């Protein structure tokens, strides 16, 4: 074999190894932890209630609800709006399905931010509802928080409420278009305060969704989902993270790449019979942080995924 061909063969071997690396890395991701019962969910968010039980809100007609006493066995608990949410129909085309709720508990009541839209459109809106108990039928509409129109460069879906270390309230949201945005909220009402909007992540119009910001120590960690959901077993969703010392950014990944320039450190991707894991949320529980998400099975069904989060010596999260 000539020297030139030897060099070519070496290059091919190296390239093959590099191409194989993502698959090898993906194979190392753990499977979701054990859950049972009614675990068919899409776009889950979960809150721990004062009595120690868990309440899950997820995409569905009127926002679907599920409960669990032990974080393993889940059962259906109706919907937030069993009578419908007619105030959202200008954005849903008359449909009843509401998307991507963010549920949390503050000052003795539950807060539910949720999206109204149609697939592929940025004529979208995020609304707020509150409840004293979180139970089906007890939710009160508190109004529109932010909307986007076809002429806008952003998309008002996938909300996440963030309360910073100074007690200020923020809403992290967005999907595709010009990326992920952050606006300030009035803690007294939960609605928008002022007109400022900060860009905190983006892929130049590419597939980025589902921001979720959580503070741990000196850092705010912003989780996002890259690539595509909603394609069953062909979904390519994956979870990435960056961090900042300020809630408003700038956020960067482990390599220092800004999240506004497509940066993000991958912590979970499809592997084996776990397809397109994403639409993540973080739950702080008594035994540590948990990553909550949905994934697709081989037959295309969406399922609830829960894994522990650990942190390495440099403070970067990883799925366990």
């Amino acid at each position: 074999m000539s020297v030139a061909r030897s060099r070519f063969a070496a290059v091919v071997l190296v390239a093959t190894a590099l191409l194989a690396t993502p698959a090898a890395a993906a194979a190392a991701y753990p499977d979701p932890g054990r859950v049972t019962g009614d675990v068919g969910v899409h776009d889950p968010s979960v809150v721990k209630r004062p009595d120690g039980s868990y309440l899950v809100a997820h995409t569905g007609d009127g926002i679907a609800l599920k409960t669990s006493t032990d974080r393993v066995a889940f059962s259906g608990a109706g919907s937030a709006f069993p009578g419908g949410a007619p105030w959202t129909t200008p954005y849903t085309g008359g449909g009843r399905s509401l998307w991507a709720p963010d549920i949390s508990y503050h000052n003795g009541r539950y807060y539910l931010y949720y999206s109204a839209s149609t697939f592929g459109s940025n004529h979208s809106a995020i609304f707020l509802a509150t409840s004293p108990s979180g139970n089906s039928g007890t939710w009160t509409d508190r109004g529109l928080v932010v909307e986007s129109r076809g002429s806008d460069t952003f998309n008002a879906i996938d909300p996440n409420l963030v309360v910073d270390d100074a007690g200020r309230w923020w809403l992290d949201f967005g999907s595709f278009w010009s990326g992920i945005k952050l606006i300030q909220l009035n803690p007294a009402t939960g609605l928008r305060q002022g007109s400022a909007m900060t860009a905190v992540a983006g892929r130049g119009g590419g597939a980025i969704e589902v921001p979720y910001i959580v503070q741990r120590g000196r850092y705010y960690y912003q989780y996002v989902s890259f690539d595509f959901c909603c394609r069953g077993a062909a979904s390519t969703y994956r979870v990435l993270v960056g961090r900042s010392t300020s809630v408003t950014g700038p956020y960067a990944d482990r390599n220092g790449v800004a999240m506004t320039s497509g940066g993000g450190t991958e912590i979970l991707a499809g592997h084996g019979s776990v397809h397109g894991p994403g639409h993540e949320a973080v739950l702080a529980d008594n035994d540590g942080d948990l990553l909550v998400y949905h994934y697709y099975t081989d037959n295309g069904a969406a399922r609830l995924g829960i894994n522990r989060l650990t942190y390495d010596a440099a403070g970067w999260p990883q799925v366990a």
Side-chain angles (χ1 to χ4, degrees):
M1 183 180 290
S2 70
V3 173
R5 290 184 64 189
S6 296
R7 289 175 176 168
F8 176 76
V11 169
V12 170
L13 286 172
V14 171
T16 301
L18 289 173
L19 288 172
T21 298
Y29 289 129
D31 286 341
R34 178 174 175 265
V35 293
T36 64
D38 189 353
V39 294
V41 305
H42 205 276
D43 309 333
S45 177
V46 60
V47 63
K48 191 167 186 179
R49 303 172 108 163
D51 66 2
S53 66
Y54 302 86
L55 177 63
V56 176
H58 62 97
T59 291
D61 287 357
I63 300 294
L65 302 173
K66 289 180 171 56
T67 58
S68 174
T69 59
D70 60 4
R71 216 175 65 202
V72 174
F74 289 83
S75 58
S79 65
F81 310 115
W87 57 89
T88 66
T89 56
Y91 303 93
T92 65
R96 292 172 59 88
S97 181
L98 299 171
W99 299 352
D102 178 82
I103 191 168
S104 57
Y105 183 78
H106 303 277
N107 306 318
R109 65 177 175 174
Y110 294 85
Y111 287 76
L112 186 72
Y113 291 89
Y114 59 96
S115 316
S117 188
T118 56
F119 199 79
S121 169
N122 75 325
H123 179 221
S124 312
I126 294 169
F127 291 88
L128 169 64
T130 62
S131 166
S133 67
N135 295 333
S136 176
T138 67
W139 292 90
T140 300
D141 171 46
R142 299 299 181 186
L144 177 71
V145 181
V146 60
E147 67 176 334
S148 55
R149 303 175 179 86
S151 58
D152 289 318
T153 62
F154 66 95
N155 193 16
I157 66 171
D158 295 350
N160 165 233
L161 172 63
V162 187
V163 179
D164 70 15
D165 56 5
R168 296 174 300 182
W169 285 32
W170 307 85
L171 194 74
D172 196 23
F173 68 92
S175 170
F176 285 74
W177 273 266
S178 60
I180 307 304
K181 311 298 183 185
L182 190 73
I183 59 173
Q184 192 164 3
L185 304 176
N186 182 339
T189 64
L191 301 178
R192 188 172 184 177
Q193 178 173 290
S195 59
M197 182 180 294
T198 302
V200 287
R203 298 180 77 188
I208 181 172
E209 298 185 308
V210 202
Y212 196 98
I213 294 175
V214 61
Q215 185 181 16
R216 295 293 178 266
R218 63 187 292 255
Y219 290 109
Y220 293 90
Y221 293 86
Q222 181 172 222
Y223 296 81
V224 293
S225 291
F226 273 18
D227 301 338
F228 298 96
C229 85
C230 313
R231 300 180 178 185
S235 299
T236 55
Y237 248 12
R238 52 197 176 101
V239 180
L240 296 90
V241 66
R243 70 187 186 188
S244 173
T245 55
S246 169
V247 69
T248 56
Y251 289 86
D253 66 18
R254 185 189 287 268
N255 295 322
V257 179
M259 292 192 79
T260 49
S261 298
T265 297
E266 184 182 286
I267 63 167
L268 185 63
H271 57 282
S273 294
V274 175
H275 306 284
H279 205 102
E280 70 294 329
V282 177
L283 173 66
D285 210 342
N286 295 341
D287 54 349
D289 283 347
L290 302 167
L291 188 73
V292 180
Y293 56 95
H294 76 241
Y295 69 96
Y296 298 92
T297 61
D298 288 336
N299 68 4
R303 292 288 182 263
L304 176 65
I306 302 177
N307 286 87
R308 294 185 184 278
L309 283 175
T310 61
Y311 296 84
D312 67 16
W316 286 97
Q318 49 201 5
V319 176

